[in-house]
Amino acid sequence: MEKENIQLKDDLSFYIKSYKEIVRELKNKDTKEYRKAKVALLSSSTIRGLKEVLFVKCYNEGILLDIFMGEYNQYTQEILDKTSKLYAFAPDLIFMFVDTISLLCDHRFDFDQLMYDEKLEFGNTIFEQFSMLVNTLKQNLKSKIVVHNFEIPEMSSLGILENKQDLGFHEFVEMMNARLRSFCKNDAQVFVFNYEAFCARQGKRNIFDYKMYYLADIKIAMRYWPTLCDEYVVYVKALLSMIKKCLVLDLDNTLWGGIIGEDGISGIKLGPTLEGRPFLEFQKYIFSLFHKGVILAVNSKNNLEDVVDVFNNHPHMILKEEHFASKQINWDDKVVNMQAIAKEINLGLDSFVFIDDDQGNREMVKRSLPQVTVIDLPEDPALYLEAITDIADFNSFHLIEEDRRKGQMY
């Protein structure tokens, strides 16, 4: 089973089967081409099977993981015991998944019966214990540590009066998340995974399976484990510095609606109109990536004069000529232009992300330049912004001022 041939699915049994096949084949395979990392999974609930999903997901990215699975709900003991298997394993990256139910125990049912001072004291106790565990890991390991924040439950016995309390149940969890965020903000070793937002995206009534919770203390429905591991892979790639550096963009029907050579500068769709707004906000997000340090380039079949006219004279053009490190605007095919961009800015093709509305161009680049990450842009421009915000390849564990200026320097 070659890694590039694995068609990933959402079926847990698929990942368990694939994991066994990969491990068996790796015994007789040279693994020098793979990046390698050691990852520990610590959880307050049952996550058996998550190891296999994460392994296969990373394998598909050219990464071989050695994974330590903590014992069921033993994360406190494993962290506090300096002789535990966790410390012997010495992971490069730790995921710490403590869920809200485990955190609050029975207080999730009687929280409104506590006095205000009791609620604060309870919160202080939780936070002191949690921060102590994270600090213990920091003192004994050089690992990057990713801690889940806490999902805000839908339930509240107070119903519509929940937000009328001095410190309601939901507000309490929000407060704990704010304290956790503040605790980690200036710490280069510890990161917060926004599990609350993750649950909200999937739908909280979907992600929690009461039957599996009562049967096996599973706090996230197993069909969402592959989606959760997609989020974890982002951190693994950041750990291994497997980040993309350059965003290469088509122009017609990508940065603006229409074809500049046919529609002219006054005919393209770009601006605060029904048809132009998706392209305007798409450009605004790309501009924010530029200020994050992402290098921009153009790969377009077009007349250079027409494009320069748009850059210089269109009133709603956010991205200007000076924002692009390379502009391959000609009638060559997209593969030739991509290679020219790589040569001009002296970056490997594996540093590139390519966005083009034309499926034929995308498939050509995929076939000829498999190192390049090609984004399958939706047909509807209204979905462009969602598509680009889903790109996780520009994430890294640090962002310094020099990184922010990288696009400008190029």
Side-chain angles (χ1 to χ4, degrees):
M1 179 186 296
E2 296 295 331
K3 63 180 183 298
E4 61 269 16
N5 293 330
I6 298 178
Q7 298 299 314
L8 301 185
K9 304 176 183 179
D10 291 333
D11 181 9
L12 184 60
S13 62
F14 162 81
Y15 286 97
I16 294 175
K17 179 182 177 182
S18 298
Y19 172 79
K20 293 178 180 178
E21 292 177 0
I22 294 169
V23 170
R24 184 167 56 249
E25 293 185 5
L26 285 173
K27 292 179 180 179
N28 301 310
K29 188 175 182 180
D30 186 355
T31 61
K32 291 180 181 179
E33 64 181 289
Y34 294 89
R35 302 288 191 96
K36 297 177 176 67
K38 299 169 73 174
V39 172
L41 302 175
L42 307 179
S43 176
S44 58
S45 59
T46 302
I47 56 170
R48 183 172 297 174
L50 195 68
K51 168 184 175 179
E52 288 80 0
V53 179
L54 183 59
F55 181 91
V56 175
K57 290 274 188 181
C58 284
Y59 178 80
N60 216 47
E61 298 284 348
I63 304 167
L64 282 184
L65 287 189
D66 188 3
I67 302 176
F68 171 84
M69 279 281 290
E71 297 294 330
Y72 164 70
N73 200 24
Q74 296 296 304
Y75 65 96
T76 298
Q77 294 88 326
E78 288 168 332
I79 293 173
L80 295 180
D81 181 4
K82 306 291 180 59
T83 64
S84 70
K85 294 179 181 178
L86 171 65
Y87 291 108
F89 180 72
D92 304 304
L93 179 64
I94 299 171
F95 291 101
M96 190 171 169
F97 180 5
V98 180
D99 63 273
T100 304
I101 292 177
S102 301
L103 194 76
L104 301 181
C105 300
D106 286 340
H107 277 321
R108 66 193 179 102
F109 295 108
D110 65 5
F111 190 79
D112 60 294
Q113 300 171 33
L114 299 177
M115 301 296 291
Y116 179 76
D117 290 343
E118 291 177 318
K119 294 175 182 178
L120 290 180
E121 183 179 354
F122 178 53
N124 289 335
T125 300
I126 290 174
F127 184 75
E128 287 171 6
Q129 181 180 14
F130 197 85
S131 58
M132 179 270 294
L133 292 176
V134 173
N135 284 329
T136 300
L137 286 172
K138 288 174 54 183
Q139 291 166 7
N140 293 281
L141 293 168
K142 295 181 179 180
S143 320
K144 296 290 186 183
I145 304 165
V146 179
V147 295
H148 281 222
N149 69 2
F150 310 111
E151 75 279 12
I152 301 171
E154 287 188 304
M155 63 171 288
S156 170
S157 60
L158 292 175
I160 62 175
L161 295 177
E162 161 65 26
N163 62 0
K164 296 296 185 181
Q165 310 306 301
D166 286 336
L167 184 58
F169 180 37
H170 295 168
E171 186 181 1
F172 176 82
V173 179
E174 291 170 349
M175 179 187 75
M176 297 305 297
N177 281 341
R179 293 185 69 175
L180 179 62
R181 185 168 57 247
S182 178
F183 172 68
C184 299
K185 181 172 291 186
N186 297 315
D187 193 323
Q189 193 174 349
V190 188
F191 297 82
V192 176
F193 169 55
N194 195 346
Y195 186 63
E196 157 62 18
F198 174 83
C199 291
R201 285 196 301 274
Q202 313 309 320
K204 293 186 179 181
R205 294 197 177 186
N206 298 324
I207 210 164
F208 193 83
D209 186 331
Y210 276 97
K211 183 176 181 180
M212 295 309 297
Y213 162 55
Y214 288 121
L215 282 176
D217 195 24
I218 295 175
K219 305 289 177 48
I220 171 174
M222 289 185 287
R223 65 182 180 275
Y224 290 102
W225 288 7
T227 311
L228 178 63
C229 284
D230 285 336
E231 304 277 354
Y232 283 4
V233 169
V234 175
Y235 290 93
V236 176
K237 291 172 74 173
L239 174 77
L240 297 172
S241 298
M242 295 174 64
I243 60 175
K244 303 295 183 177
K245 299 177 182 178
C246 182
L247 178 60
V248 183
L249 298 153
D250 178 44
L251 296 176
D252 290 333
N253 289 313
T254 301
L255 288 190
W256 55 71
I259 301 173
I260 185 60
E262 299 176 5
D263 301 318
I265 190 170
S266 61
I268 60 173
K269 302 174 181 67
L270 176 64
T273 63
L274 185 64
E275 293 180 308
R277 188 174 177 183
F279 299 99
L280 179 66
E281 296 196 346
F282 186 62
Q283 285 200 32
K284 286 181 177 180
Y285 186 82
I286 293 171
F287 193 47
S288 72
L289 291 179
F290 173 80
H291 284 288
K292 179 186 174 183
V294 175
I295 302 161
L296 303 181
V298 172
N299 185 347
S300 173
K301 288 187 176 182
N302 247 312
N303 290 317
L304 179 60
E305 295 80 7
D306 293 335
V307 172
V308 171
D309 188 27
V310 177
F311 280 140
N312 293 337
N313 299 313
H314 196 286
H316 301 294
M317 189 69 187
I318 303 297
L319 300 171
K320 304 295 185 180
E321 278 192 88
E322 63 266 23
H323 297 134
F324 295 94
S326 176
K327 296 180 287 293
Q328 294 299 321
I329 303 168
N330 50 49
W331 297 101
D332 291 335
D333 67 56
K334 297 298 177 94
V335 172
V336 171
N337 279 346
M338 193 71 72
Q339 293 169 329
I341 293 170
K343 182 177 181 180
E344 181 177 356
I345 62 178
N346 194 28
L347 281 178
L349 289 166
D350 58 352
S351 296
F352 286 12
V353 173
F354 178 51
I355 293 182
D356 193 315
D357 70 293
D358 186 273
Q359 184 177 0
N361 287 331
R362 297 199 302 264
E363 293 303 321
M364 181 192 303
V365 173
K366 285 181 184 179
R367 288 193 306 269
S368 302
L369 305 173
Q371 315 95 307
V372 176
T373 297
V374 179
I375 303 302
D376 287 320
L377 208 59
E379 292 185 9
D380 187 351
L383 302 178
Y384 280 13
L385 184 60
E386 180 182 10
I388 196 171
T389 55
D390 282 342
I391 300 173
D393 294 281
F394 299 116
N395 282 288
S396 67
F397 276 141
H398 57 81
L399 182 62
I400 60 176
E401 187 58 33
E402 185 177 346
D403 294 324
R404 293 183 183 275
R405 294 176 52 245
K406 190 176 295 179
Q408 295 174 338
M409 289 188 291
Y410 268 84

